[in-house]
């Protein structure tokens, strides 16, 4: 009688569990104890993908090509003797499809600021696999620790406008697990808000009073001239 099979081990030997479209990956399936020949079957979500027979104690190698979203998910393998109706199942491996990020958009609720004001900047990539990591810059210098977002929401930083040097160009960059995929945002500049002079309301008030006086005098002149004219007749 053949030796009892151990549960096979499913191991990734080429590629990564985070896969991109058109990537090839190779899985190895092997029962470390048992008597050959052994039949190995690979399953994805309980559907048979491929099967190989091994006449010695070497692993069955399954090469997969990720050509669509349906190729990702959970895989398992089964080891069994041809003469047996039973079999042993392996651990599972799950593939996740990763997508490149889109160019992030840098924005703020206000485009104008003045010295001594608090402002916010938001950076968001609308597309791309999560999580996404964001980093903010002013010129070429980073101005905050990187922020990793697990949800599709903007990374936000708070700034204090302390001097005129804070009115430079701001940018952010976004990256995820997709290889060689870092994108930079548009540039964003705060413009200096015009500060109203404290003397402006006073000048306006004085101007209105003067105008009213002129109008009052203009209206009073006819009433003062008419009696004088009648008195001289």
């Amino acid at each position: 009688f053949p030796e009892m099979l151990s549960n096979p081990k499913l191991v990734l030997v080429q590629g990564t569990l985070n896969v991109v479209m058109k990537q090839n990956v190779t899985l190895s399936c092997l029962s470390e104890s048992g008597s050959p020949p052994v039949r190995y079957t690979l399953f994805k979500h309980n559907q048979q993908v491929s099967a190989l027979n091994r006449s010695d104690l070497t692993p069955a190698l399954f090469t997969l090509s990720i050509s669509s979203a349906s190729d990702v998910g959970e895989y398992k393998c089964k080891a069994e003797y041809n003469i047996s109706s039973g079999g042993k199942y392996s651990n599972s491996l799950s593939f996740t499809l990763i997508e490149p990020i889109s160019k992030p958009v840098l924005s703020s609720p206000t485009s104008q600021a003045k010295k001594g004001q608090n402002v916010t900047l938001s950076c968001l990539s609308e597309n791309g696999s999560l999580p996404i990591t964001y980093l903010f810059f002013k010129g070429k210098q980073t101005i905050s620790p990187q922020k990793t977002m697990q949800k599709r929401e903007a990374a936000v930083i708070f700034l204090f406008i302390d001097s005129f040097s804070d009115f430079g160009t701001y940018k952010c960059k976004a990256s995820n697990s997709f290889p060689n995929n870092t994108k930079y945002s548009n540039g964003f500049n705060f413009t200096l808000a015009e500060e109203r002079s404290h003397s402006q309301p006073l000048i306006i008030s004085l101007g209105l009073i003067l105008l009213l006086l002129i109008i009052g005098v203009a209206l009073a002149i006819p009433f003062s001239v008419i009696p004088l004219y009648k008195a001289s007749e």
Side-chain angles (χ1 to χ4, degrees):
F1 292 96
E3 183 184 350
M4 183 176 289
L5 279 169
S6 61
N7 285 84
K9 290 183 179 179
L10 187 63
V11 179
L12 181 69
V13 293
Q14 180 190 342
T16 60
L17 292 177
N18 289 329
V19 293
V20 299
M21 206 68 77
K22 298 181 181 178
Q23 180 179 336
N24 290 332
V25 294
T26 302
L27 299 173
S28 165
C29 185
L30 176 66
S31 288
E32 293 182 345
S33 64
S35 301
V38 179
R39 180 176 178 82
Y40 294 99
T41 307
L42 184 68
F43 294 89
K44 182 177 77 69
H45 296 308
N46 300 319
Q47 283 193 323
Q48 181 175 328
V49 175
S50 183
L52 293 171
N53 293 317
R54 281 291 175 264
S55 57
D56 52 18
L57 292 174
T58 57
L61 298 177
F62 300 98
T63 298
L64 307 172
S65 179
I66 307 300
S67 56
S68 69
S70 63
D71 293 325
V72 299
E74 184 181 84
Y75 286 82
K76 283 186 177 182
C77 73
K78 178 184 179 183
E80 60 188 334
Y81 291 124
N82 290 331
I83 60 173
S84 165
S85 59
K88 297 289 183 68
Y89 285 89
S90 73
N91 56 296
S92 62
L93 289 178
S94 292
F95 291 99
T96 303
L97 186 64
I98 57 173
E99 298 175 312
I101 51 174
S102 57
K103 180 180 178 179
V105 175
L106 185 64
S107 61
S108 175
T110 178
S111 61
Q112 290 190 329
K114 56 187 177 183
K115 286 177 65 177
Q117 182 178 341
N118 290 306
V119 294
T120 60
L121 282 173
S122 301
C123 186
L124 176 65
S125 284
E126 291 284 356
N127 300 300
S129 304
L130 298 169
I132 298 176
T133 299
Y134 296 95
L135 193 60
F136 292 83
F137 297 86
K138 180 180 166 293
K140 294 183 179 180
Q141 278 196 318
T142 59
I143 55 172
S144 73
Q146 63 182 22
K147 295 176 177 288
T148 300
M149 310 303 292
Q150 304 291 338
K151 296 180 180 178
R152 186 77 60 194
E153 56 189 20
V156 179
I157 62 167
F158 300 90
L159 301 172
F160 179 70
I161 303 298
D162 189 39
S163 65
F164 290 112
S165 64
D166 295 324
F167 288 92
T169 300
Y170 292 87
K171 283 190 176 185
C172 68
K173 75 172 181 179
S175 59
N176 64 359
S177 55
F178 195 94
N180 303 317
N181 181 234
T182 297
K183 297 283 180 69
Y184 284 85
S185 74
N186 53 296
F188 186 91
N189 290 76
F190 291 104
T191 55
L192 181 63
E194 291 184 10
E195 296 190 35
R196 278 190 168 185
S197 170
H198 294 296
S199 61
Q200 273 187 338
L202 180 61
I203 293 170
I204 292 170
S205 299
L206 290 173
L208 286 172
I209 292 169
L210 182 61
L211 180 63
L212 289 171
L213 283 172
I214 292 170
I215 293 171
V217 169
L219 291 172
I221 286 173
F223 293 102
S224 60
V225 170
I226 290 172
L228 290 171
Y229 177 73
K230 286 185 176 182
S232 63
E233 283 183 342

